[in-house]
Amino acid sequence: MSTISCLSPKRIVQNDIQETISAAANHARLTSHGEAPLFASLRQFVSRRPAPFYSPGHKGGRSLDPWFKANIAALDLNNLPDTDTLHCPAGPIAEAERLIADAWGVAESFMLVQGSTAGNITMALAALRPGDRVLVQRNAHKSVIAGLIHCGATPVWLPPFWDETFGIAHGVDAATLEAQLSKQPARAVWLLHPTYYGSVADIAALSATCRKYGALLLVDGAHSPHFAFHPDLPLPAEHAGAAGVVQSVHKIISGLSQAAVLHIDPAILPTQSVRRALQLVQTTSPHFAIMASIDLARREMALDGQAQLQRTLDLARKARHALTAIQGLRVLGPEHAAGPDSGFFGLDETKLLIGVAELGRDGREIMALLNSHYDIQPELAGADHILCIVTLGNNEADIDRLVAAFSEIAGRARPKRQDASDSVMIKDLLAQPPEIVLTPRDAYFSPDETIPFDRAIDRIAAEAITPYPPGIPVIMPGEKLNMDVMSLLRALHKAGTPISASDPQLNTIKVVR
Ligand SMILES: Cc1ncc(COP(=O)(O)O)c(C=O)c1O
């Protein structure tokens, strides 16, 4: 007779509970609850006061309204009669949304409190149906893929223009789009305007092509909240006939992180469809400071946007000029644009994409050095480049520190690196993307299994695997894994690029069973 069978059922349950409690107590002894590791790390970073070349655009509060900055905790409120309710706005939120639409020059706008990520998912749920054919540029952000998984549309990838000099992908040209649309109609075309690096394609021509073939134009404009407010910035998609445009207000102008807006043309994308989708996607407990920051960023742009952006552009141009003069560096500039037919038609000059291939060091290594030795924090780095974002919150001293640090680093440059960088592999991947076997939604919801990463060749991915930043999946759910994709992911991981995946260490991967 086993010991357990001697015990009454009640005793068994009590023993189980006892075991659970002791396991929890043991666990608690292993962990030091006097520590708050995230808070400590953030506090240390903030007290170092690094020169900020990352988003959010207010750069540690420099461009925030003083009362707002001092009262962010007090503004953490709830849906109350005085505050209005995000899901059914009828008071100050509704009025703030009307002002946003007016300032950006669009028919209707919505506040988003979960970034452009929520906006892209909302657009998919509002505009697309399961099985709809949608043309999507292959360097789409992972939130666009999330939208496709939510709505079940069938993507057809559009190849973006590849930049040999900087090792990055830009936009899609109108001829490539027309070639696809003339072969087979599509419900929608989903474009990126601009890329993370600030480059844009000819959005007016792309929009005209969409109109010609009766396709909705949806735009991930996460990095374009400021385009409408300065004539030297590229044409904003919301003025080029898009049905919907998503913008992160936190990236360049003064929104808090997660602040974003969705602009729509209700004649093409009905208001009710968008509201219904927003009910599904947005939290019912929005942070009112995030929404207030959108309201204030709108006020700042509407009243003084051109002057503020002129100052920002002047700083970025000064930095671009000085960095270009340093031997071994190249900085992406408007002069590199390759014309309207190319997918690289114009540039948002507030983005400084610094090519470092000639320095003989990996860009990620240089970014780490900038942080540890110079107290300078860029936005992101790849094998051959570093991206610095100049925003409303930057000042002359930041620019001087950046230029001085690069002068010193370039002065110690080694001979040109000979090895093939991972940007070459990304180029090959974009030129020949993996075979699509299932839609992202079908792959996501298929029976799946977790297997060793090295044994996944020829299997169908059940997840997106995304180097972050910039957040562009290397493999999409539903695509067949091949040697090129696996080697690229391994190389990115080895180089220290954070990988967003079910197993960020890439020991295992989720594939369709
Ligand atoms: C192109 C693009 N789209 C969408 C997003 C998502 O924006 P958010 O972080 O505001 O959710 C990002 C974020 O970096 C992005 O780069």
Side-chain angles (χ1 to χ4, degrees), residues 114-117 120 141 143 192 196 220 222-223 248 250-251 468:
Q114 287 143 242
S116 287
T117 296
N120 279 327
H141 186 260
S143 56
L192 184 60
Y196 215 129
D220 176 357
H223 298 274
S248 295
H250 61 96
K251 290 216 187 275
Y468 201 93

Side-chain angles (χ1 to χ4, degrees), residues 416-461:
K416 192 173 180 335
R417 207 174 58 230
Q418 291 302 314
D419 54 322
S421 76
D422 47 47
S423 67
V424 176
M425 291 192 256
I426 295 172
K427 172 189 171 188
D428 294 345
L429 175 83
L430 289 169
Q432 198 156 24
E435 182 190 347
I436 301 179
V437 184
L438 295 171
T439 66
R441 183 188 176 87
D442 286 345
Y444 187 89
F445 288 110
S446 289
D448 63 68
E449 60 183 324
T450 301
I451 63 169
F453 184 82
D454 292 335
R455 297 222 316 265
I457 288 192
D458 287 340
R459 299 294 299 268
I460 303 163

Side-chain angles (χ1 to χ4, degrees), residues 256-332:
L256 295 186
S257 285
Q258 297 181 223
V261 288
L262 168 59
H263 307 300
I264 61 161
D265 179 346
I268 321 178
L269 194 56
T271 306
Q272 291 78 1
S273 307
V274 175
R275 281 213 183 282
R276 181 173 70 158
L278 283 169
Q279 311 284 324
L280 245 62
V281 173
Q282 296 235 79
T283 174
T284 46
S285 309
H287 200 310
F288 275 79
I290 295 177
M291 289 192 286
S293 79
I294 303 175
D295 199 23
L296 290 171
R298 183 272 313 152
R299 187 176 76 181
E300 186 177 36
M301 283 297 102
L303 298 183
D304 195 32
Q306 184 159 341
Q308 300 248 10
L309 288 165
Q310 185 61 54
R311 199 188 60 81
T312 308
L313 280 164
D314 288 346
L315 285 179
R317 285 170 178 156
K318 176 183 166 187
R320 181 174 274 101
H321 184 73
L323 290 166
T324 305
I326 297 173
Q327 200 171 5
L329 297 186
R330 284 167 183 267
V331 186
L332 186 70

